[in-house]
Amino acid sequence: MNADKTTTRKQLQGYGASRYLAYSLTKNLTSVTKQGRAYAYLLRDVIVSIRKYKNRPRIKPTTSQTLEIILRSLLERLGNVTEVPFTRGTDTEMSEIAKQLIQAMSDTDSVLAELKATAATIKAKYSS
């Protein structure tokens, strides 16, 4: 499910990247599809690219902060959730309720992250 999540350069600009930074982060990546007229890149590939870019020796502090904001936003969209073993408890009903709660929270976070991505796309589209 997470493997097919994508982002575009416009979305990266909506998250706060400049045109140049969005280009630099994606220039060595292979696009997987097109969304309208924009190329879409796998979310996990962009995250790896951001982490590599942050390790450059001459990166400015403002760029580093921008990259951190973008990275945080993309990781929210990725939605990695660590499973917690609730089956070891004595109350099975409580365990099931806790599982349902965590799943509902994960779904809500995922939808919110996608809405933020849409907002970033719209922001970048109309601020140019």
Side-chain angles (χ1 to χ4, degrees):
M1 182 175 112
N2 292 337
D4 61 352
K5 293 200 177 189
T6 59
T7 191
T8 63
R9 288 180 180 167
K10 281 287 187 188
Q11 281 181 340
L12 293 175
Q13 290 174 21
Y15 286 131
S18 65
R19 276 181 97 180
Y20 175 77
L21 184 58
Y23 170 77
S24 295
L25 292 172
T26 58
K27 70 180 175 184
N28 294 326
L29 302 179
T30 305
S31 65
V32 291
T33 186
K34 283 186 88 171
Q35 292 179 355
R37 296 185 317 175
Y39 290 106
Y41 304 93
L42 287 177
L43 209 55
R44 66 174 186 259
D45 292 344
V46 175
I47 289 170
V48 169
S49 179
I50 289 171
R51 287 181 173 152
K52 285 181 184 177
Y53 199 93
K54 281 183 66 174
N55 288 332
R56 290 182 174 184
R58 296 177 60 190
I59 193 167
K60 293 185 178 183
T62 54
T63 304
S64 182
Q65 290 172 347
T66 301
L67 288 172
E68 194 59 41
I69 291 168
I70 296 169
L71 184 62
R72 210 173 316 122
S73 298
L74 295 180
L75 287 173
E76 282 179 10
R77 283 189 59 205
L78 197 58
N80 290 341
V81 177
T82 305
E83 291 293 325
V84 179
F86 286 108
T87 57
R88 295 184 185 168
T90 57
D91 189 3
T92 57
E93 183 180 356
M94 190 65 111
S95 297
E96 281 301 314
I97 292 171
K99 283 182 191 177
Q100 291 173 358
L101 175 65
I102 288 179
Q103 184 61 44
M105 288 172 48
S106 175
D107 293 344
T108 303
D109 290 344
S110 177
V111 170
L112 181 63
E114 289 301 321
L115 286 173
K116 286 180 181 178
T118 303
T121 302
I122 292 169
K123 178 182 175 186
K125 184 177 181 178
Y126 292 107
S127 67
S128 297

